[in-house]
Amino acid sequence: MTDLNRRMFLASAAAATATRGVPKLGTSPQAKRVLELVYDHSMGMMRAVDRVVFH
């Protein structure tokens, strides 16, 4: 993972978003998935954090 540059990070984030964008059967309508980009100081780069928020 040391050769991950900005372009590869954005490409992988876009692929993950497209995959999650496909509707899945059996998901509860009260749950919402939130994708956050945070700066990880130990890795020295941005990383994606995916979490589920219930209403």
Side-chain angles (χ1 to χ4, degrees), residues 19-33 50 52-55:
T19 302
R20 282 193 10 238
V22 176
K24 295 178 182 167
L25 298 175
T27 58
S28 63
Q30 296 87 5
K32 181 179 178 183
R33 297 185 78 159
D50 190 19
V52 178
V53 178
F54 296 100
H55 289 81

Side-chain angles (χ1 to χ4, degrees), residues 24-53:
K24 295 178 182 167
L25 298 175
T27 58
S28 63
Q30 296 87 5
K32 181 179 178 183
R33 297 185 78 159
V34 178
L35 180 67
E36 294 179 337
L37 296 177
V38 296
Y39 186 77
D40 191 345
H41 292 282
S42 63
M43 294 173 59
M45 62 181 181
M46 300 290 287
R47 67 181 179 95
V49 176
D50 190 19
R51 59 189 178 105
V52 178
V53 178

Side-chain angles (χ1 to χ4, degrees), residues 5-28:
N5 58 15
R6 183 178 179 197
R7 180 176 291 165
M8 292 302 295
F9 173 78
L10 292 175
S12 63
T17 302
T19 302
R20 282 193 10 238
V22 176
K24 295 178 182 167
L25 298 175
T27 58
S28 63

